[in-house]
């Protein structure tokens, strides 16, 4: 039984130039996830569920736990001193850590501190998503927007915490995807899924079919393809949609499948945010043998222009994503 901390240190030796800062940064994320996990697990009894009555920049009502998780991760990252700034779904603009340690740090973190939080009140799995980059601005100066507007291929690490029937932390530093399960009696994450691999194909498609009438024609064609095709093994395709990105992705990572959040008439760029949802999930997908595009181009090659920009998202088993892309190409409107 190897712990997350032991594994990160062991793997740190894969990076000869590593000076332990990324190791320390991942440790801060580990600590914050345990604190958030504790609050989520008592959400039903503590006065911490439900909405705050405040809207974030996305125009979405912030849940009490959204803000709590945002504050916990910000505090843990600032206290650890390896990060010069953070961007978050719950913050209109990026947050600069201007202490001496902060401005002399090498990394920035982008995060969705509690994705899918409206599901908490009905006890459905939710998640934290994070993405880590080396800053591009000069060390010793305050962080700038350019440090955050980097393409996904520049990520040095990415991961998520899924607060589900068990709490898991899944991350990559570009050397495969590794999953750790928390033993609640000890509050320790233990390695449970080393080198996770997404099956090349699967029989699960995950999309909110309530928006069917507003989908691009290529997506409508792909959904019908899934409903009509008889795969070689004769297992019919099945539709699974949790409405919590981390939970839908995690299932497909383990079992195979495709997740699609496409553009719609109301949301021409889809709903998911490029920087702190699609890019980190895309990094994990590719590192586990999967594929992540916007239906046409690789997610991680998109050059960001805005902190909260949205992007259509097709992600999961390579063969299934390629099938969906083919239909998008063949049915461009
Ligand atoms: P819809 C949660 O709000 C979220 O950002 C993702 O976790 C999830 O995949 C998506 O939105 C669900 O959106 O429109 O289907 O409810």
């Amino acid at each position: 039984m190897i712990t997350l901390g032991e594994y990160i240190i062991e793997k740190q030796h894969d990076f000869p130039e590593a000076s332990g800062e990324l190791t320390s940064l991942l440790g801060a994320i580990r600590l914050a996830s345990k604190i958030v996990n504790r609050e989520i697990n008592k959400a039903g009894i503590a006065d911490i569920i439900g909405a705050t009555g405040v809207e974030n920049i996305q125009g979405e009502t912030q849940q009490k736990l959204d803000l709590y998780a945002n504050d916990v991760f910000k505090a843990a990252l600032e206290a650890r001193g390896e990060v010069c700034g953070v961007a978050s779904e719950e913050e209109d603009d990026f947050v600069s850590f201007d202490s001496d340690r902060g401005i002399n740090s090498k990394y920035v973190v982008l995060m969705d501190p509690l994705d899918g939080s409206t599901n908490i009140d009905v006890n459905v799995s939710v998640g934290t998503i994070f993405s880590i980059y080396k800053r591009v601005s000069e060390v010793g100066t305050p962080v700038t927007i350019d440090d955050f507007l980097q393409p996904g291929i520049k990520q040095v690490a990415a991961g998520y915490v899924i607060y589900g029937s068990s709490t898991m932390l899944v991350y990559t530093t570009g050397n495969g995807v590794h999953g750790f399960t928390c033993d609640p009696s000890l509050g320790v994450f233990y390695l449970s899924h080393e080198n996770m691999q997404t099956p090349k194909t699967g029989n699960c498609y995950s999309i909110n079919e309530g928006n069917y009438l507003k989908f691009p024609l290529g997506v409508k064609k792909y959904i019908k393809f899934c409903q009509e095709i008889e795969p070689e093994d004769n297992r019919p395709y099945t539709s699974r949609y949790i409405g919590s990105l981390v939970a839908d992705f995690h299932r497909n990572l383990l079992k195979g499948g495709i997740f699609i959040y496409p553009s719609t008439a109301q949301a021409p760029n889809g709903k998911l945010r490029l920087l702190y949802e699609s890019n980190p999930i895309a990094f994990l997908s590719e590192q586990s043998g999967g594929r992540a595009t916007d239906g046409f181009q690789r997610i991680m090659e998109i050059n960001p222009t805005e902190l909260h920009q949205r992007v259509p998202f097709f992600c999961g088993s390579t063969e299934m994503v390629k099938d969906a892309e083919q239909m998008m190409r063949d049915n461009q409107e």
Side-chain angles (χ1 to χ4, degrees), residues 115-116 208 211 241 243-245 248 259 261 271-273 277:
D115 180 74
N208 183 345
N211 298 320
Y241 191 72
S244 183
L245 172 61
D248 279 315
F259 174 88
Y261 206 107
K271 174 180 183 183
L272 300 182
R273 290 77 170 183
E277 290 175 331

Side-chain angles (χ1 to χ4, degrees), residues 40-57:
I40 286 175
N41 286 338
K42 61 185 184 185
I45 47 182
D47 177 26
I48 197 157
I49 55 176
T52 60
V54 176
E55 284 194 349
N56 61 19
I57 192 171

